[in-house]
Amino acid sequence: MRKMGSPRAYTIASLALLISNSCFAQEQVKHIGVFVEPYYRAAANAAGTPQVAVARAFDARLSLNEPTKIKEVEAEIRANPDLITPMTLMVLSIRLYDMGFREDSVFWHYVAKDRMFTINRVVSDGISGAMTATRDFAATAGQAINGYAFCNPETQRSQRKRAFEWVRDNPYRAIFLPQLASPFTDREAALREAVSALENNVRKEAEFLSDNANIERLKKVRLENGTHAKYCW
């Protein structure tokens, strides 16, 4: 199974989308219209009902255009996070965005990516589908979610840090299931190393965004390609 890249590559991949994202229209993006089969098929517009298949306990509510139901799912995930898949977290992020909870959407998007990162560092087999789906969600839904996140780089940095801390403090317990093969005899130690690598990524991203020249470049590109107009409303 193909592994995610090095910690440095992961950091650059996360930031590349923000710098190179080109926009072909200037309309505000209030609905994320993405398809990642078999987990999520967005409705044609914000008024429609998406098809959701990530977790039986949540699918029906995540498909509703009812903010209270989406927040209800979020609360349940916070209360019992041990076996929540990255795909479920990605769909939660999308639906929060659709309902107008865009800062929460950013947080869970990063959580989903970070949880998948730790899984991939510890487990060697049985996760290729989850890894591909998480990557697809990140590449498609991430355009809108990161588009909004970087309206305020300071807010983005805060959410990024919070997401890492959540993943560090809430490890994915399926990592320790014998059904998922691992090259490590000590999975707890492997997970600690994965979290350390992830923390290093977060630190490098924060350093990049602490440089005023990088911030000004980012702002300039976003204004020129229409990203700011589409997502910062």
Side-chain angles (χ1 to χ4, degrees):
M1 183 186 69
R2 181 179 161 189
K3 288 283 188 180
M4 286 184 179
S6 67
R8 178 63 176 166
Y10 183 83
T11 301
I12 292 174
S14 300
L15 296 171
L17 175 64
L18 314 172
I19 299 298
S20 63
N21 183 31
S22 60
C23 303
F24 300 98
Q26 300 282 329
E27 69 273 11
Q28 295 175 344
V29 177
K30 299 184 178 182
H31 167 252
I32 299 179
V34 303
F35 305 85
V36 178
E37 303 287 0
Y39 304 104
Y40 189 76
R41 177 176 285 270
N45 54 59
T49 301
Q51 296 177 25
V52 181
V54 288
R56 290 181 184 177
F58 307 134
D59 290 345
R61 284 176 290 169
L62 286 172
S63 70
L64 298 174
N65 291 325
E66 297 181 21
T68 56
K69 293 298 183 182
I70 307 303
K71 294 297 284 184
E72 183 179 281
V73 171
E74 179 186 30
E76 290 180 19
I77 286 174
R78 283 189 180 278
N80 294 286
D82 289 358
L83 296 175
I84 303 298
T85 69
M87 295 81 76
T88 303
L89 297 171
M90 282 290 185
V91 172
L92 172 64
S93 173
I94 291 168
R95 298 302 287 145
L96 285 166
Y97 185 101
D98 290 346
M99 296 298 104
F101 302 107
R102 295 194 292 167
E103 287 196 18
D104 294 332
S105 172
V106 170
F107 170 79
W108 289 111
H109 182 79
Y110 293 153
V111 166
K113 290 176 62 178
D114 287 355
R115 177 164 273 200
M116 190 69 244
F117 180 90
T118 61
I119 297 167
N120 189 54
R121 283 300 187 100
V122 179
V123 177
S124 60
D125 193 23
I127 61 166
S128 59
M131 188 170 67
T132 298
T134 304
R135 186 180 291 130
D136 289 346
F137 273 120
T140 53
Q143 293 186 37
I145 294 167
N146 276 316
Y148 167 73
F150 280 83
C151 292
N152 185 333
E154 283 299 321
T155 299
Q156 188 278 338
R157 287 175 60 189
S158 174
Q159 295 288 56
R160 186 72 192 85
K161 181 174 182 290
R162 288 181 58 239
F164 161 73
E165 291 171 346
W166 191 94
V167 170
R168 178 197 64 198
D169 297 340
N170 296 279
Y172 186 52
R173 291 299 172 187
I175 284 175
F176 304 105
L177 295 175
Q179 298 93 308
L180 297 179
S182 173
F184 303 103
T185 55
D186 187 343
R187 297 193 192 196
E188 290 278 4
L191 179 58
R192 288 193 295 272
E193 289 187 11
V195 169
S196 178
L198 183 58
E199 184 174 25
N200 190 45
N201 290 350
V202 174
R203 178 182 58 78
K204 289 177 180 178
E205 290 177 18
E207 288 174 356
F208 178 90
L209 293 169
S210 297
D211 187 322
N212 286 334
N214 290 333
I215 293 294
E216 291 306 312
R217 177 171 172 245
L218 177 59
K219 288 179 179 178
K220 182 175 184 292
V221 172
R222 285 169 56 89
L223 285 170
E224 289 176 350
N225 67 19
T227 301
H228 185 84
K230 289 186 75 170
Y231 302 111
C232 303
W233 39 268

